[in-house]
């Protein structure tokens, strides 16, 4: 008889942004280190169908899975902590679930029943949970938002019902709460956490595990107090103060014994944990290195530090792999539109990364940055939009003064970057871009092939515009080469500068496959060039 999957539900109280995603990912890391097969999933209360059209200034980056799902940035944390690829089943937004319920109602599948949030929407969530969990020892489910939010009520009720359905021996609830520090009395206060537990119980869920987040370390006496007023055993309470690196969190939870508590509570037969490689990575991430490199990220989304989360984490991972510290500096792309300011701004860093984005704002600044890097033999790594602007820059440097992108000037005469034929008329709809894994063949002897150590790679995509193949025969005259080509559709995937120490750009998003303990080849090559 096959073993039943065990379910771990992670909720949050008091306020948003506590680190539920990091907590869920860390628990997955620890359970996987014990030899268990683990999957992880995010249930978000938004009425969006997916994260593709969410504003990055509000929600941070859109993370793309190997099968092309546009998801919340927490899936990036999940993949980096578990070191495994997830699929669209790991990201479920309420809009997608409700749309399916309505479609079923229109198709007559409810046979005249009155369709309601309970039981129809809540049971629809059950299907997404159980489908994603198939074949795994443990399935972790993070609930977005904060317990008590009106929009989250159906999801909270759904996981309550699900826990009841699979039984107490197969389900466990982790509640992440906030422990504020009150300066006037110089103490950590537990009342908000107590109230958060009371809120969760009000919806019929008694937490089995508490994780207390705080800005500063809390005294052990807080555990006793939380236990007294929440009914959660002291050994099932962990305190998580702010850490120097988010990758320390699994080690903090391991030291607290929380993973062992979860294994015992769920009756999991697990091996002794092996965190040797993870500890080595964390040591490299947190120690002071002898050398520091300065990386300028030429950004157009400056409102939220999470807008380029995976890019920043990939840069850091490559720096740690090369035993250096990294100082990442934001560079406002709009400030580079005045070309006389570029030398002063870029001379403050050792190299630049130009990440992805959408819309024509600040594109001229990104083009100017690429032109400078080409002219001055300055290290450049372009990602998606960073490749497109690099091609425009090279074309202009090569004498095609009016070279442009269809995104920047749809009526331009020389659109060296243009919309794919299949994308015409779909510019404002979600889920219509080239998404997910695509093949790429790298040219023998290219910088890209040297970085990867192979010529055949698979990388993830999220874009609508492409290099216009009508101009490809002019690349070498412009000082660049198409060193990576998609063998299935003959589209340009990688370009690099000719006779340039490091000028490389990809149409795909290499940051999505970077891991803290396994630096991505393109970022690794970039950091090596800076050294």
């Amino acid at each position: 008889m096959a073993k039943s999957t065990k379910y771990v539900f992670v909720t949050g109280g008091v306020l948003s942004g506590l680190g539920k995603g990091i907590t869920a990912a860390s628990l997955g890391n620890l359970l996987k280190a014990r030899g268990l097969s683990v999957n992880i999933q995010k249930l978000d209360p938004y009425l969006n169908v997916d994260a593709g059209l969410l504003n990055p200034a509000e929600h941070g980056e859109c993370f793309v899975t190997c099968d092309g799902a546009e998801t919340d940035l927490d899936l990036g944390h999940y993949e980096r902590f578990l070191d495994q690829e997830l699929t669209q089943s790991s990201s479920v937004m309420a809009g997608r679930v409700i749309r399916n319920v309505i479609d079923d109602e229109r198709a007559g599948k409810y046979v005249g029943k009155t369709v309601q949030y309970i039981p129809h929407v809540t049971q629809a969530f059950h299907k997404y949970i159980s489908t994603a969990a198939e074949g795994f020892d443990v399935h972790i489910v993070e609930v977005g938002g904060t317990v008590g939010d009106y929009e989250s009520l159906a999801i909270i009720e759904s996981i309550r019902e699900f826990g009841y359905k699979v039984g107490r021996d197969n389900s466990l609830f982790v509640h992440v709460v906030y422990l504020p520090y009150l300066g006037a009395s110089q103490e950590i206060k537990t009342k908000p956490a107590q109230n958060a537990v009371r809120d969760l119980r009000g919806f019929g869920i008694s937490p089995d595990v508490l994780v207390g987040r705080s800005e500063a370390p809390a005294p052990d006496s807080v555990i006793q107090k939380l236990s007294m007023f929440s009914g959660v055993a002291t050994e099932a309470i962990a305190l998580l103060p702010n850490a120097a690196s988010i990758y320390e969190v699994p080690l903090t939870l391991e030291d607290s014994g929380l993973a062992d508590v979860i294994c015992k509570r769920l009756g999991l037969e697990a091996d002794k944990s092996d965190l040797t490689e993870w500890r080595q990575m964390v040591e490299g991430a947190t120690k002071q290195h002898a050398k520091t490199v300065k990386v300028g990220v030429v950004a157009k989304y400056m409102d939220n530090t999470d807008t380029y989360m995976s890019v920043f984490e990939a840069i850091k991972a490559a720096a740690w792999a090369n035993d250096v510290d990294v100082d990442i500096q934001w560079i406002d792309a709009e400030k580079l539109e005045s070309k006389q300011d570029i030398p002063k701004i870029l001379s403050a860093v050792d190299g630049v990364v130009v990440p992805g984005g959408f819309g024509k704002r600040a594109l001229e600044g990104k083009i100017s940055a690429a032109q400078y890097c080409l002219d001055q033999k300055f290290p450049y790594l372009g990602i998606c939009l960073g490749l497109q602007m690099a091609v425009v820059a090279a074309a202009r440097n090569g004498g095609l003064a009016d070279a442009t992108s269809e995104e920047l000037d749809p009526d331009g005469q020389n659109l060296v970057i243009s919309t794919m034929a299949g994308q015409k008329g779909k510019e404002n709809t979600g889920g219509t871009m080239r998404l997910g894994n695509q093949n790429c063949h790298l040219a023998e002897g290219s910088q890209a092939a040297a970085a990867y150590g192979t010529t055949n790679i698979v990388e993830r995509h999220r874009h609508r515009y492409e290099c216009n193949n009508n101009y490809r025969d002019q690349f070498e005259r412009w000082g660049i080469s198409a060193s990576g080509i998609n063998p299935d559709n003959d589209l340009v995937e990688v370009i690099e500068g000719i006779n340039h120490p490091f000028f490389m750009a990809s149409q795909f998003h290499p940051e999505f496959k970077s891991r803290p303990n396994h630096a991505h080849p393109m970022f690794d090559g970039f950091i090596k060039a800076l050294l």
Side-chain angles (χ1 to χ4, degrees):
M1 181 177 177
K3 292 182 181 178
S4 58
T5 299
K6 307 294 185 177
Y7 296 87
V8 176
F9 296 97
V10 180
T11 56
V14 185
L15 46 82
S16 62
L18 277 180
K20 292 192 310 296
I22 299 295
T23 300
S26 297
L27 292 175
N29 176 296
L30 297 180
L31 294 173
K32 190 173 178 182
R34 284 163 167 75
L36 298 166
S37 62
V38 179
N39 198 23
I40 189 165
Q41 182 180 46
K42 176 81 177 285
L43 304 182
D44 260 317
Y46 305 126
L47 292 181
N48 301 71
V49 173
D50 59 34
L53 296 177
L54 292 178
N55 187 340
E58 295 179 17
H59 296 276
E61 74 172 5
C62 175
F63 187 85
V64 178
T65 58
C66 60
D67 59 349
E70 296 175 284
T71 75
D72 177 81
L73 63 80
D74 272 324
L75 265 78
H77 292 313
Y78 300 164
E79 287 207 1
R80 287 187 287 272
F81 278 69
L82 269 68
D83 193 13
Q84 69 187 48
E85 291 194 329
L86 303 176
T87 67
Q88 58 83 25
S89 67
S90 285
S91 178
V92 181
M93 289 196 172
R96 177 177 163 198
V97 177
I98 292 170
R99 185 177 71 172
N100 287 345
V101 169
I102 292 172
D103 287 345
D104 286 348
E105 187 274 334
R106 291 290 81 190
K109 293 184 179 180
Y110 294 107
V111 200
K113 291 180 180 177
T114 302
V115 180
Q116 298 173 287
Y117 270 94
I118 303 171
H120 302 103
V121 172
T122 55
Q123 289 180 358
F125 273 107
H126 293 178
K127 292 180 182 178
Y128 283 99
I129 296 169
S130 57
T131 299
E134 286 179 6
F136 292 92
D137 296 325
V138 183
H139 184 54
I140 299 172
V141 180
E142 178 197 350
V143 177
T146 305
V147 171
D149 294 343
Y150 284 118
E151 58 189 4
S152 299
L153 296 181
I155 299 178
I156 297 298
E157 171 60 17
S158 180
I159 64 171
R160 184 198 69 78
E161 293 174 7
F162 194 94
Y164 177 78
K165 182 171 70 173
V166 299
R168 180 167 171 76
D169 291 342
N170 295 313
S171 61
L172 178 142
F173 293 90
V174 178
H175 201 34
V176 183
V177 294
Y178 184 54
L179 300 170
Y181 177 78
L182 195 62
S185 58
Q186 297 185 344
E187 62 178 333
I188 296 283
K189 305 298 290 186
T190 64
K191 186 61 72 176
Q194 295 175 40
N195 290 339
V197 173
R198 190 175 298 117
D199 288 342
L200 188 61
R201 281 181 167 165
F203 295 114
I205 298 173
S206 293
D208 303 286
V209 171
L210 276 187
V211 175
R213 284 281 293 111
S214 60
E215 300 294 309
D220 289 341
S221 59
V222 165
I223 293 178
Q224 298 292 337
K225 194 170 184 180
L226 285 174
S227 180
M228 172 68 72
F229 290 101
S230 70
V232 177
T234 55
E235 63 269 21
I237 300 175
L239 301 179
L240 277 183
N242 284 357
S245 168
I246 57 173
Y247 303 115
E248 289 184 75
V249 175
L251 303 182
T252 302
L253 292 179
E254 175 71 4
D255 293 341
S256 75
L258 209 57
D260 290 330
V261 169
I262 291 173
C263 288
K264 182 178 179 180
R265 162 72 170 71
L266 293 174
L268 288 162
E269 296 179 5
D271 301 331
K272 185 178 180 181
S273 65
D274 182 4
L275 293 165
T276 305
E277 185 182 4
W278 194 266
R279 290 186 187 278
Q280 290 173 346
M281 179 274 294
V282 170
E283 182 181 354
T286 55
K287 75 177 184 181
Q288 186 75 36
H289 296 87
K291 187 174 178 62
T292 299
V293 293
K294 294 181 180 179
V295 175
V297 176
V298 180
K300 62 181 291 181
Y301 307 125
M302 306 284 287
D303 308 83
N304 186 332
T305 56
D306 290 345
T307 50
Y308 304 102
M309 173 69 74
S310 291
V311 173
F312 280 26
E313 293 305 313
I315 294 170
K316 293 175 189 175
W320 302 333
N322 286 279
D323 202 28
V324 294
D325 287 328
V326 61
D327 177 10
I328 300 175
Q329 299 185 10
W330 291 74
I331 297 175
D332 187 344
E334 288 188 282
K335 292 183 178 178
L336 299 180
E337 292 180 353
S338 176
K339 292 191 177 183
Q340 64 266 28
D341 296 334
I342 292 177
K344 180 182 178 181
I345 295 173
L346 296 190
S347 63
V349 296
D350 300 316
V352 300
V353 174
V354 179
F358 294 91
K360 68 179 184 178
R361 182 182 65 81
L363 293 194
E364 287 293 348
K366 295 194 175 215
I367 294 168
S368 295
Q371 286 181 299
Y372 177 87
C373 292
L374 278 168
D375 292 339
Q376 302 300 316
K377 307 294 185 185
F378 199 65
Y380 177 97
L381 177 61
I383 300 168
C384 196
L385 181 64
L387 173 137
Q388 296 165 11
M389 297 305 97
V391 171
V392 174
R396 291 181 183 179
N397 279 7
L400 198 64
D402 63 346
T404 190
S405 160
E406 189 171 351
E407 186 171 23
L408 181 60
D409 182 7
D411 300 318
Q413 292 300 304
N414 283 296
L415 300 176
V416 297
I417 302 295
S418 60
T419 312
M420 293 182 291
Q423 295 298 327
K424 297 293 184 183
K426 297 182 179 180
E427 283 77 3
N428 293 313
T429 56
T432 60
M433 296 179 281
R434 189 147 72 101
L435 291 163
N437 279 359
Q438 302 275 323
N439 296 315
C440 175
H441 179 75
L442 302 175
E444 294 276 2
S446 64
Q447 281 188 340
Y452 277 91
T454 184
T455 56
N456 293 307
I457 61 172
V458 177
E459 291 282 2
R460 301 185 201 177
H461 292 247
R462 183 183 184 240
H463 59 96
R464 182 170 289 112
Y465 298 94
E466 303 278 356
C467 291
N468 188 336
N469 278 340
N470 293 329
Y471 293 85
R472 218 158 91 188
D473 60 351
Q474 300 182 47
F475 277 17
E476 289 196 20
R477 184 159 55 82
W478 298 344
I480 59 174
S481 65
S483 59
I485 302 295
N486 187 308
D488 304 311
N489 51 30
D490 196 37
L491 293 172
V492 174
E493 296 279 16
V494 182
I495 65 157
E496 52 191 65
I498 297 173
N499 297 322
H500 195 292
F502 192 93
F503 188 96
M504 191 183 299
S506 65
Q507 185 58 83
F508 49 77
H509 287 265
E511 70 272 22
F512 293 149
K513 295 183 75 171
S514 174
R515 303 287 184 260
N517 48 344
H518 302 292
H520 190 281
M522 289 190 74
F523 287 92
D524 184 58
F526 174 69
I527 295 296
K528 281 181 166 60
L530 304 191
L531 294 172

